[in-house]
Amino acid sequence: MSQERRQYRRIPLEASLGFQELSFHKGEAPATSSYRDVSAGGLLVESPRAYALGTLLKLELRVPGWGRYQNHFGPVQDADVRPLVALGMVVRVEQLDAGGFELGVKFQNVYPDDLEALVKFLEATAPPLPL
């Protein structure tokens, strides 16, 4: 039996994100895709191309419903529009049968307030653990 190495529980959530490789040379234009699950430690991203392990990506995640867990002024619906911006590292790459790739991305840097809001959102929306 394989041993679970993840530190955080993953929550199924399909939403959009934009991502772009961080590099010192002029890289490709930002990609728009979706992610299939998210945790406080990272996410699973659908990508049109593979990235090398260790590649750093600038991520802009849309997290539907996380607005009420943010520290902000103004209406909650306005906070939902703001993406969660993070720096992530590609830690797993898998080619899909239908084409494209799945990237396991580990968060490297997230604004502390955004990470706190994400954790609260995930705790509130997580399905119950099986007994």
Side-chain angles (χ1 to χ4, degrees), residues 8-53:
Y8 302 101
R9 183 170 170 213
R10 296 187 312 172
I11 306 300
L13 178 67
E14 183 116 8
S16 66
L17 83 151
F19 63 98
Q20 182 176 22
E21 181 177 355
L22 289 181
S23 66
F24 290 107
H25 58 75
K26 183 176 178 167
E28 295 182 10
T32 302
S33 188
S34 63
Y35 59 95
R36 302 211 329 226
D37 65 39
V38 64
S39 76
L43 66 158
L44 183 62
V45 176
E46 294 179 4
S47 173
R49 73 176 195 91
Y51 288 86
L53 295 178

Side-chain angles (χ1 to χ4, degrees), residues 52-114:
L53 295 178
T55 299
L56 294 177
L57 301 175
K58 177 187 176 194
L59 307 164
E60 291 188 13
L61 289 75
R62 301 290 173 203
V63 185
W66 82 307
R68 69 177 143 182
Y69 301 97
Q70 297 176 39
N71 293 324
H72 62 85
F73 296 101
V76 170
Q77 61 270 23
D78 291 347
D80 259 355
V81 174
R82 187 176 67 79
L84 184 148
V85 177
L87 177 65
M89 180 189 297
V90 176
V91 294
R92 185 175 65 80
V93 179
E94 227 174 271
Q95 187 163 10
L96 301 173
D97 292 337
F101 298 86
E102 276 186 349
L103 308 176
V105 179
K106 181 179 180 183
F107 292 140
Q108 298 295 301
N109 195 352
V110 182
Y111 293 117
D113 287 349
D114 285 353

